[in-house]
Amino acid sequence: MPKQTPEEELQHTMALLKKEKQEDLNQYRQKILNSTLEERRKNGLCWYPVNILKQYLSTGEKYVMEVERTARTEDPHVFGAGKAISLFVNDGSNERASGVINFVKGNRMRFTLNADDLPEWLEDGKLGIDLLFDEASYRAMEAAMKQVMQLRGRSRDLRDILLGHKAPSFSKRRPVSADTNLNPAQQEALENALAAEDVAIVHGPPGTGKTTTLVQIIREVLKEEKQVLVCAPSNAAVDLLCDKLSELELKVLRIGHPARVNEDMLPYTLDARAAGHGSYKELKQLRRRAEELRTMALKYKRNFGRSEREQRNLLMREANVCKDQAEQLEYYITYDIFDKTQVFAATLVGANGNPILADMNFKTIFIDEAAQALEPACWIPILKTNRVIFAGDHCQLPPTIKSYEAAREGLAETLFEKSITRTKAAGLPAARMLEVQYRMHRNIMNFSNRKFYDNRLQAHDTVKEALLLPDELPVEFIDTAGSGFMEERDPDSRSTFNYEEARMVLKHLGELLERVGLTAVAEQNLVTGVISPYKAQVKKLNELLDEQEVLEPVKGQIDINTVDAFQGQERDIIYISLVRSNDEGEIGFLADIRRMNVAMTRARKKLVIFGDTATLGKNGFYNELLDYINEIGAYRSVFELMYD
């Protein structure tokens, strides 16, 4: 049992959240508010100038704009789906309009404006886009923390169970329908979740079917409960769940800002559902009539007689009556949609994103990717329930935290991790681990299996011997020690890169794909991921890829990005460029071994790691990895590549 009381622990977490907010704000001010336009562009925090490609009203009657960056198009940037932005005109007027990004692809960005009309100043000068600070998320988390500290009754009991101060309870397991197509470990997780009275945890290592299992649990719970709330820390994770639940023909409602919702999910949003409702045409007519009456009333001049005044008042009264009727009809439409919904889906912070949802409670809520969620964000939906079912893997990426001090003092430990370790320590574990993985060759799996999963993982028969080519090794480690491939520091981003290592990664990849056959790669749609923990190396690899003529036919099947960007994804082939090569044995955040676990377990049939054993070998984790590499005969020196 934890040494602190629940209230003391929550007070500490609240203090850490404030540190995180302050650090986030400080970084924002330094990068945005206190920098010039040119500095913001250089740091990837501003697109300028941009050209408008198109603008239109979305399904939810929000204005959407698509723009294209026309300068510094090769520079990296931090813009991504769901982030808040500010559109501005560079004419000295300081005019701005806020919005939320729908998607970013190449040098194109689509976003939804937080306004009823397009800005009048769009033609007044060159346009640009800045990143905005996300104040709303912190407000929501702080408000939830304050409520959690003051809970009473059953809600307080659940809080104390999740924090390990009370033991969870389980009822007698009931029979489950045989049409779930789950393996024994997945079935065990399902039955455990259904029997849980407070908390259940689905621990899903890479490739074990965590989402499949969670979706089946949700379906079974809905046989006894009318409605559930499903959440995740990211919009992408929520959208994936919506997609899987919709395939089971469950009635899903995606709660959230239309811009933060994947286009494929728009039919499941409240705005789209309302637009398709039988009473929506009448609602539009009432709104239009109210506006027409108001416009007619306002045409009267200030100096008018008694009859004109009476006519104006009459028109305004009629407009107000139409407006009231429209509001009542809108409430009815929304209530009707909510009443027929089985699954409400939202991000953790967005769980209070709709006024009606803010007043709702659920017998059960689900939190997917919970090991990537800040504890304060998890409390937002948990305040609405008496039972929570987590899914995630605390051996993969933790939440992103900007304050090193807050992370070190405990903010990096998630509620998922607290619950999984503390219920186990109390002798009543709430977690069930999925043990059969359907993604990767056994040699790709085995090191992570030993290091993170107590050797409990098994490779399914369909993947355990699956190779790219009959004689191809599933794993290779290319040692750059002694080659002179030294790391460098990018003067602008302060990120680390290794030019020669990047060059050899793409040389090796080109030779591998030529062995497979470029035609076969294209026809079989074999996809490759090239991963580096360092953004500067990602940039360097992308630049070098453009120069590789041999790879031209298959460039669309090669993705180069950071570890974080590959979380939750998989590829037939994965290359990892570790970058670090120095005389001091400094490895920076390569020491975050969970990040390495994610990188290695993205591969299905081929994993290639480039690294300097002289630098890496001073770390215990990488020493064990190198022992494993030698054990399976996967070691090669880069000199073999250089002189092939």
Side-chain angles (χ1 to χ4, degrees), residues 70-83:
T70 58
R72 304 183 72 108
T73 55
E74 301 303 317
D75 286 358
H77 59 82
V78 297
F79 293 96
K83 291 193 175 183

Side-chain angles (χ1 to χ4, degrees), residues 199-216:
V199 57
I201 300 169
V202 180
H203 179 197
T208 54
K210 170 181 64 67
T211 301
T212 298
T213 306
L214 187 63
V215 164
Q216 291 297 336

Side-chain angles (χ1 to χ4, degrees), residues 285-343:
Q285 290 172 343
L286 283 169
R287 285 173 173 168
R288 189 181 301 116
R289 181 60 179 158
E291 187 58 33
E292 288 171 352
L293 290 166
R294 187 173 178 276
T295 301
M296 290 168 61
L298 293 175
K299 284 182 179 178
Y300 288 96
K301 308 294 182 185
R302 286 184 177 274
N303 300 317
F304 50 77
R306 180 177 177 183
S307 61
E308 287 87 351
R309 184 181 295 109
E310 288 178 354
Q311 185 64 22
R312 173 178 168 152
N313 290 341
L314 178 63
L315 288 168
M316 288 301 289
R317 281 198 298 272
E318 286 186 42
N320 288 333
V321 168
C322 286
K323 183 172 175 286
D324 289 343
Q325 289 176 340
E327 287 177 353
Q328 290 173 18
L329 185 56
E330 184 178 18
Y331 181 85
Y332 160 73
I333 291 171
T334 304
Y335 178 83
D336 190 43
I337 293 168
F338 273 53
D339 186 58
K340 293 173 181 174
T341 295
Q342 292 175 283
V343 179

Side-chain angles (χ1 to χ4, degrees), residues 203-206 371-372 392-398 414 416-417 420 433 448 451-454 567 592-599 601-602:
H203 179 197
Q372 283 189 275
D393 180 13
H394 55 300
C395 301
Q396 295 188 63
L397 288 181
T414 62
F416 177 93
E417 194 168 355
I420 200 171
M433 188 177 113
S448 287
K451 191 67 183 172
F452 297 97
Y453 304 112
D454 298 325
Q567 171 88 349
D592 182 353
I593 60 175
R594 288 183 291 184
R595 200 166 238 96
M596 194 62 182
N597 183 35
V598 171
T601 54
R602 301 307 95 196

